[in-house]
Amino acid sequence: MPMRARFPRSARLTAASDFDAAFKSGKRINDPLFGLHWRPDAAARARLGLAVSRKVDGRAVGRNRIKRALRERFRAIRSELSGGDYVFVARPAAAKASAPDLSDAMIRLLQRAGAWRQSTGEGPTGTMRSAALAGAASNPDVSTHDPAPAPDAG
């Protein structure tokens, strides 16, 4: 059985005082699916806090699905983020969004906040965009955009 990367306790916001500090002194960025409260701290590693209330989805299954998608994406990109506390507050529209949509909204908010340390303009690691750009850099003879094939005249 393959070993999965863990999401350690040190990567989570657990104390109410940590959430309060992020809400009071953090940078606020909004999206239709989430609000992000980011309190930068260059000396610390990135930590995630999630607030998904019953107003978002009355069913625990729906709230847990949102949290699971965000935790998984955060775990994958944590090393690429600036240090600090990130609190994502879900909005009711998140209940109807798919896991990729939730992940994309998270990435958009992090980029708008300036928390993404990746300065090359590439997409997050593991995306099709980063793979295409990496391939283009290693092989200049291959274009990243192939034109549509010409229709047969005959």
Side-chain angles (χ1 to χ4, degrees):
M1 184 158 116
M3 187 170 153
R4 290 185 46 184
R6 302 276 325 247
F7 191 62
R9 189 169 181 85
S10 63
R12 301 179 220 160
L13 288 179
T14 55
S17 60
D18 292 336
F19 278 88
D20 288 342
F23 287 134
K24 288 179 183 167
S25 64
K27 211 176 178 182
R28 292 170 183 85
I29 298 96
N30 294 308
D31 186 78
L33 299 180
F34 302 108
L36 169 63
H37 297 262
W38 175 40
R39 190 176 67 145
D41 183 0
R45 294 217 39 210
R47 297 189 307 165
L48 175 67
L50 299 171
V52 185
S53 74
R54 276 180 268 167
K55 289 180 182 179
V56 172
D57 193 334
R59 301 171 315 133
V61 169
R63 294 190 304 272
N64 290 336
R65 182 186 64 83
I66 293 167
K67 292 187 280 189
R68 199 170 31 253
L70 292 179
R71 272 195 304 264
E72 178 59 24
R73 188 62 174 154
F74 189 84
R75 182 197 58 76
I77 64 171
R78 182 176 179 218
S79 63
E80 299 171 22
L81 297 175
S82 298
D85 297 338
Y86 299 85
V87 178
F88 286 88
V89 181
R91 298 217 163 105
K96 294 177 179 70
S98 66
D101 290 340
L102 296 171
S103 178
D104 290 345
M106 176 187 228
I107 298 301
R108 272 193 314 271
L109 282 171
L110 292 169
Q111 289 173 337
R112 284 180 42 209
W116 198 271
R117 284 192 286 189
Q118 211 168 5
S119 61
T120 60
E122 295 179 10
T125 304
T127 64
M128 294 297 284
R129 179 166 169 70
S130 65
L133 290 173
S138 63
N139 188 354
D141 295 331
V142 176
S143 85
T144 55
H145 282 306
D146 291 331
D152 257 349

